[in-house]
């Protein structure tokens, strides 16, 4: 009985040691009868990691799909796109001197070239496409553009017509939206961006009449060309401005209402008559 108890205790001890991953010596190891014998290593099979599985409708287990790679940059805007967001992209690129013309709202060739240059300078893939990584880098380097940065060269929507513009033939000019509507009997014939005088030479507000037209006029006060001039208040006129065409809202007139689109002002000049009303309003 005693020998069986001792043998059973030894077996339990060996099993417990093996479960803990230890190396155990057989009885007598290290003594006279066990010299030269290697230790006995008992391994208990452990639990190995397995891939997560999912079960199909018929009860078969199948491994879950591998974890996908990190998401690649998402394309936000690319050549051919247009709209207000593209204007902001262009305005921000202009702030860091990658675009020098005013925002147009069209993702054109110069915009693609500017995006590609910006990407290359910052070690990003030079795709010419505005993706989420490029956009975040640009946001970190620039500030929120103001309205007249977005519409530096025009293109802004026009305000609703002033009530005084709804009858007759009227040049309806809004200072708040910086636009000129040519209206006949309440109908808008055309709309074009315009620029006004500075705080030192402001454009007068109110209701006026065209009293003189001069196709090739040159200012006697400032010695500057005023093509397609239509005078409505003293020396103030609606006319084409090459400076407005080149600089946009980065400059100002000496009080006149500047038009930057020469084709538009040429058409308007051909339609407007002496005596037509002019309304300059906010």
């Amino acid at each position: 009985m005693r020998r069986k108890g001792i043998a059973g205790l030894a077996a339990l001890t060996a099993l417990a040691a093996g479960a803990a991953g230890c190396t155990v010596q057989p009885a007598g190891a290290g003594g006279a009868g066990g010299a030269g014998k290697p230790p006995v290593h008992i391994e208990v099979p452990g639990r190995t990691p397995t891939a997560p599985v999912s079960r199909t409708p018929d009860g078969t287990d199948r491994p879950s799909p591998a974890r996908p790679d990190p998401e690649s940059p998402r394309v936000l805007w690319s050549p051919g796109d247009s709209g207000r967001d593209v204007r902001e992209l262009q305005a921000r690129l202009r702030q860091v001197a990658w675009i020098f013309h005013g925002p147009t709202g069209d993702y054109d060739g110069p915009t693609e070239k500017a995006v590609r240059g910006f990407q290359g300078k910052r070690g990003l893939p030079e795709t010419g496409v505005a993706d989420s990584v490029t956009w975040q880098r640009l946001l970190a380097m620039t500030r929120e553009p103001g309205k007249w940065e977005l519409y530096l060269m025009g293109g802004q929507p026009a305000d609703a017509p002033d009530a005084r513009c709804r009858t007759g033939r009227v040049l309806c000019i809004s200072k708040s939206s910086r636009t000129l509507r040519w209206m006949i009997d309440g109908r808008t014939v055309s709309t074009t961006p315009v620029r006004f005088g500075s705080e030192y030479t402001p454009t007068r507000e109110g209701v006026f009449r065209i009293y003189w037209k001069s196709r090739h006029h040159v200012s006697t006060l400032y010695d500057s060309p005023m093509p397609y001039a239509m005078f409505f208040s003293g020396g103030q006129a609606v006319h084409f401005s090459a400076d407005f065409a080149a600089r946009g809202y980065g400059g100002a007139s000496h009080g006149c209402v500047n038009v930057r689109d020469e084709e538009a002002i040429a058409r308007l000049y051909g339609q407007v008559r002496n005596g037509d009303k002019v309304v300059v309003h906010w």
Side-chain angles (χ1 to χ4, degrees):
M1 289 290 293
R2 184 177 180 183
R3 181 168 299 182
K4 288 183 179 180
I6 293 173
L9 180 59
L12 289 174
T13 301
L15 182 60
C22 299
T23 299
V24 297
Q25 302 283 349
K37 291 184 179 180
V40 177
H41 186 72
I42 301 175
E43 293 185 356
V44 177
R47 180 175 297 173
T48 57
T50 58
V53 296
S54 59
R55 193 172 297 278
T56 61
D58 63 1
T60 304
D61 289 342
R62 64 183 176 192
S64 296
R67 181 175 298 176
D69 293 334
E71 184 180 358
S72 57
R74 180 168 56 92
V75 173
L76 301 177
W77 310 288
S78 58
D81 289 341
S82 62
R84 193 268 180 203
D85 289 339
V86 175
R87 279 186 182 276
E88 182 172 349
L89 170 68
Q90 293 169 326
R92 289 181 182 272
L93 286 168
R94 196 173 190 277
Q95 289 179 20
V96 291
W98 280 104
I99 281 182
F100 297 97
H101 64 281
T104 63
D106 296 323
Y107 204 121
D108 51 13
T111 303
E112 181 180 4
K113 182 178 178 180
V115 170
R116 194 184 304 277
F118 177 84
Q119 291 169 328
K121 185 74 172 179
R122 275 129 199 107
L124 302 174
E126 297 179 42
T127 63
V129 170
D131 57 43
S132 53
V133 173
T134 302
W135 180 239
Q136 288 302 317
R137 185 68 61 87
L138 185 60
L139 286 179
M141 297 177 62
T142 55
R143 54 177 169 73
E144 180 75 19
K147 178 178 180 180
W148 300 116
E149 287 181 272
L150 294 174
Y151 295 99
L152 180 67
M153 306 306 286
Q156 68 274 17
D159 281 345
D162 185 272
R164 296 167 291 180
C165 301
R166 297 188 181 278
T167 58
R169 299 166 56 87
V170 190
L171 292 173
C172 190
I173 302 169
S174 168
K175 282 190 169 183
S176 57
S177 67
R178 300 184 182 182
T179 53
L180 180 157
R181 287 178 183 262
W182 168 229
M183 302 184 67
I184 299 177
D185 296 331
R187 178 178 60 89
T188 298
V189 177
S190 62
T191 304
T192 186
V194 292
R195 187 178 72 172
F196 304 100
S198 68
E199 61 178 314
Y200 305 105
T201 56
T203 302
R204 290 184 279 274
E205 299 152 25
V207 180
F208 311 93
R209 295 281 175 179
I210 297 294
Y211 69 89
W212 181 36
K213 295 172 62 180
S214 179
R215 167 67 181 81
H216 300 288
H217 194 80
V218 176
S219 171
T220 56
L221 184 60
Y222 299 104
D223 193 30
S224 57
M226 298 170 56
Y228 305 102
M230 295 174 279
F231 289 89
F232 61 87
S233 177
Q236 295 190 353
V238 176
H239 68 84
F240 171 73
S241 167
D243 182 74
F244 185 23
R247 299 173 59 202
Y249 291 110
S253 76
H254 292 103
C256 288
V257 177
N258 290 164
V259 177
R260 67 177 302 271
D261 185 334
E262 189 168 7
E263 291 185 4
I265 188 68
R267 289 193 300 270
L268 189 62
Y269 185 88
Q271 297 172 30
V272 172
R273 307 168 187 164
N274 286 339
D276 286 347
K277 188 164 57 174
V278 177
V279 178
V280 181
H281 67 94
W282 283 99

